Amino acid sequence: KEVMARTAVLTLSLLSLLSCSWAFQPRLATFGKAPLPTPACRGRGTRGAAGVVAAIEVVEPSYNLALGSFVIGAGLLTEAKLLADRQVYLAAQPEVDTKRIGIANIAKIGSLIGGVPFALFGLFLAYQTTTLRFTFDDSSFSLVKADLSTTGKNVVVGGENKWAYDKFVNYDFFPSESFPILVYFKETQTPQDQWNVGPGEQANSPEAIAKGAKPGQVHFFPAIANVAQIKADFV
């Protein structure tokens, strides 16, 4: 019964995650450079130094990743509660082997250790999704605050979180476009002496270059925005 309860909780958690990623992800009818459908947030712009207002496209936020992470955390915490109740029940039975009580306690602790980080990470992603936006203008892709103000310098390599399209090397979605958790792209706008910082060391290694990788600065960010819309503008 303990195994069946744990399996049921984890199964429901995984099914909820999958439904979050597939059922609620907005779909676009076309890809490539064709004009995108106009969401409510489009048509906004920023005023440049010359006083000219440049139209920008604000990518729609997506809470799929935050909700999925929180659901998994909640599922594990629910499992921990069930195991705690089971532990109390077993402890009240004098004929029950103490090993079974110990196993239930270990399983409970394991669920807590897994559930709390997932739930907290889900809340963190929800905060990021609410406060950050990705934008596209005529020449560049940017990470800005929800009010379209600057996010300041990049915390890893410095410089503004704004990258020109003509400096892009490639992009991808991990583990896949249909189930996105991370969005990746590589660019050559960042000064070359920063390219090997963090994951760039492996991405720009001689072995990676020999396999066909192009050198550049690597960027990863969680899929907290509409991935289909991002891909349509990356193309």
Side-chain angles (χ1 to χ4, degrees):
K1 292 181 179 179
E2 294 175 23
V3 174
M4 291 177 63
R6 296 181 64 185
T7 302
V9 170
L10 291 176
T11 300
L12 288 174
S13 298
L14 290 174
L15 288 175
S16 298
L17 174 59
L18 291 173
S19 66
C20 290
S21 297
W22 291 331
F24 297 108
Q25 179 68 34
R27 304 296 182 189
L28 295 181
T30 58
F31 294 97
K33 297 185 178 179
L36 291 169
T38 303
C41 59
R42 290 195 63 177
R44 303 168 71 176
T46 56
R47 187 174 297 276
V52 178
V53 176
I56 63 174
E57 178 182 329
V58 182
V59 181
E60 298 171 348
S62 171
Y63 287 88
N64 295 347
L65 192 59
L67 186 57
S69 179
F70 186 80
V71 165
I72 290 177
L76 289 170
L77 292 175
T78 300
E79 180 188 30
K81 177 61 169 62
L82 293 173
L83 289 169
D85 293 342
R86 179 65 174 170
Q87 185 181 3
V88 171
Y89 170 78
L90 292 175
Q93 310 301 314
E95 72 280 2
V96 173
D97 189 346
T98 55
K99 289 184 179 179
R100 292 184 62 187
I101 301 176
I103 292 172
N105 187 51
I106 293 173
K108 177 190 69 177
I109 294 174
S111 295
L112 285 172
I113 292 175
V116 171
F118 267 109
L120 291 177
F121 187 57
L123 293 175
F124 171 73
L125 288 174
Y127 173 77
Q128 295 285 75
T129 305
T130 302
T131 59
L132 297 177
R133 294 291 181 270
F134 295 99
T135 66
F136 291 89
D137 60 24
D138 290 339
S139 61
S140 59
F141 169 67
S142 304
L143 171 65
V144 298
K145 295 180 180 179
D147 62 0
L148 303 188
S149 62
T150 180
T151 53
K153 291 185 177 181
N154 187 285
V155 296
V156 178
V157 296
E160 188 178 6
N161 289 309
K162 185 174 184 176
W163 303 275
Y165 301 138
D166 59 4
K167 301 298 183 181
F168 272 51
V169 174
N170 53 30
Y171 69 90
D172 207 346
F173 306 97
F174 296 102
S176 69
E177 183 186 342
S178 60
F179 189 67
I181 294 177
L182 290 175
V183 180
Y184 151 88
F185 71 94
K186 183 183 283 189
E187 45 82 13
T188 58
Q189 176 176 298
T190 301
Q192 189 170 353
D193 60 355
Q194 299 291 324
W195 289 359
N196 289 336
V197 173
E201 182 175 1
Q202 181 177 356
N204 295 306
S205 66
E207 294 80 7
I209 300 300
K211 293 179 180 178
K214 297 181 180 179
Q217 175 62 49
V218 173
H219 296 272
F220 288 95
F221 60 85
I224 58 175
N226 185 330
V227 169
Q229 192 175 349
I230 291 176
K231 178 182 177 179
D233 282 308
F234 270 176
V235 173

